[in-house]
Amino acid sequence: MSGYLSAIGQGLVFFPLAALLLTLPYIAWNYRRYGSVLSLRILIVYSFILYLICAYCLVIFPLPSGAEAAALSGHRMQMVPFSFLADFAKEARGAGSFPAAVRAVVGSSAFLVTGFNLLLTLPFGVYLRYYFGCGARRTLLLAFLLSLFFELTQLSGLYGIYPGSYRLFDVDDLIVNTAGSMLGYALEPLAARLLPTRAQIDRASMARSRHVSLLRRFVALGYDGVVWLALGVAVSVLLRLAGPLPEPLRQLGAAVDGFWPGGLGALGWTAYLSVCPMLLGGQTVGHRLTRLRIVEPDGRPPVWYQYPLRYGSLMLVLGGVPRLAALSLDALGALPGLPALAPALLQLALMGLWMLALLFEVLRMAMREPLFYERFSHTRLVTTIRPPRDPDSFYVPEGREDSETFATTGHR
């Protein structure tokens, strides 16, 4: 038992790393397919990942010591099906009476190992039927493949790391593990009574997608940031190959950066966010991947100039206003007779007001009110995921979401 607990502990150690690697892609995939991230779905999927990690650790741990590994040679296999039944019979024959025989079988190592192998894959069948909607035949196939993967891992000496198998490839384990998954498949209706159905989870996700959340905006912005970074690298390489910039362009760039450090990057970022919707029908690359679109408040496509108004005002408030305040305070500090602390205190007050205004915008977003740059440009973001026509369906097929913008709802 201590060995099992130790292996599960190893799985709990590896799980945070797996979660860290999977979280961002999984969140992005949820926004692409459903338009929202539902906490219950996250709990179910991550518990399934944790289960698989712990099951794998139970298969490979404990690892052999150095001396044990050096002594390994060959790959051992037990290919006689249902040999565990012979072990049960052997234990029962030596016990005498029927009650004693039952106690002997239940207390034997063969029974405990068989029971563990049955329980090891039982959750697999429950997950496959409940969340992934697998039928009996598909569950049987996937359960067999998982069990075969576990046995081949042992047979190969952990994929050739060890010169021989430090655990026995046992066809009985393959049979019992597969049977455990099918037992979980049969018991799934009992577990499903405690949770909503998969269709209900998906419909809840679709309903939440009508509100464009702050996280969804950030995910879309992250996609666009990757595209913009790739474009920036490509442009830098081309400029180096083309030679030095003309003197007027160089002076203009120096003037922009002198007024606003990083201002050239902000201008390029604004240009990217403004030009993409002109070319992609109201969407940036990030919007398309998260199924969002920029429209006017009545749902009509914006006019081309509304895109630079939208993102130009955003960049100006986020970076330009603090820079203008800093320049004004520098000029104020140069005035004679002014107390030394006055510019610093005034700058602190202005930055506090600026941060308070940004916080107010976040609160407006939580209240589903338009943000300042949306009001200024007369635009808003809506989801392109349409409500299902069939109340029992939940998914809009890929490629169909852009045929009709879901403009009657969304962030207004």
Side-chain angles (χ1 to χ4, degrees), residues 18-255:
L20 180 64
L21 295 175
L22 294 174
T23 293
L24 290 180
Y26 185 66
I27 288 176
W29 181 83
N30 269 271
Y31 278 126
R32 175 62 186 164
R33 180 161 186 177
Y34 304 107
S36 67
V37 178
L38 202 64
S39 56
L40 180 58
R41 188 193 304 279
I42 295 290
L43 177 62
I44 293 171
V45 171
Y46 274 57
S47 66
F48 180 61
I49 295 172
L50 176 61
Y51 156 71
L52 289 178
I53 292 174
C54 289
Y56 182 73
C57 289
L58 285 166
V59 170
I60 67 171
F61 290 113
L63 298 176
S65 64
E68 292 171 336
L72 292 176
S73 63
H75 302 280
R76 300 173 297 148
M77 292 187 290
Q78 194 290 110
M79 299 300 294
V80 180
F82 302 105
S83 62
F84 66 90
L85 296 179
D87 295 334
F88 293 170
K90 181 180 178 181
E91 295 288 342
R93 282 196 300 269
S97 64
F98 178 75
V102 172
R103 288 194 298 270
V105 170
V106 172
S108 66
S109 60
F111 181 86
L112 294 177
V113 170
T114 302
F116 165 75
N117 285 328
L118 189 74
L119 295 176
L120 175 66
T121 54
L122 186 148
F124 190 66
V126 175
Y127 278 107
L128 289 184
R129 184 174 182 181
Y130 168 70
Y131 186 76
F132 297 100
C134 294
R137 284 186 293 183
R138 179 173 292 185
T139 300
L140 179 64
L141 175 62
L142 294 176
F144 173 78
L145 292 176
L146 178 68
S147 305
L148 183 62
F149 168 70
F150 286 161
E151 294 304 310
L152 291 177
T153 297
Q154 296 173 340
L155 179 65
S156 64
L158 202 56
Y159 322 116
I161 295 177
Y162 299 102
S165 54
Y166 63 94
R167 289 191 180 182
L168 179 68
F169 177 100
D170 195 335
V171 70
D172 282 347
D173 292 348
L174 191 62
I175 295 171
V176 174
N177 286 157
T178 304
S181 292
M182 296 311 297
L183 178 61
Y185 178 87
L187 295 177
E188 182 271 342
L190 298 178
R193 292 180 181 180
L194 304 176
L195 296 169
T197 65
R198 171 66 189 272
Q200 290 173 332
I201 294 174
D202 292 332
R203 283 197 293 270
S205 295
M206 296 286 286
R208 288 186 59 178
S209 73
R210 301 176 185 181
H211 170 55
V212 182
S213 64
L214 180 62
L215 179 59
R216 191 174 179 184
R217 290 172 182 259
F218 276 132
V219 171
L221 197 63
Y223 278 130
D224 285 321
V226 173
V227 175
W228 166 241
L229 180 62
L231 289 175
V233 171
V235 169
S236 298
V237 171
L238 292 176
L239 289 177
R240 287 182 179 275
L241 294 176
L245 289 175
E247 186 61 23
L249 289 180
R250 192 189 65 79
Q251 292 180 356
L252 177 61

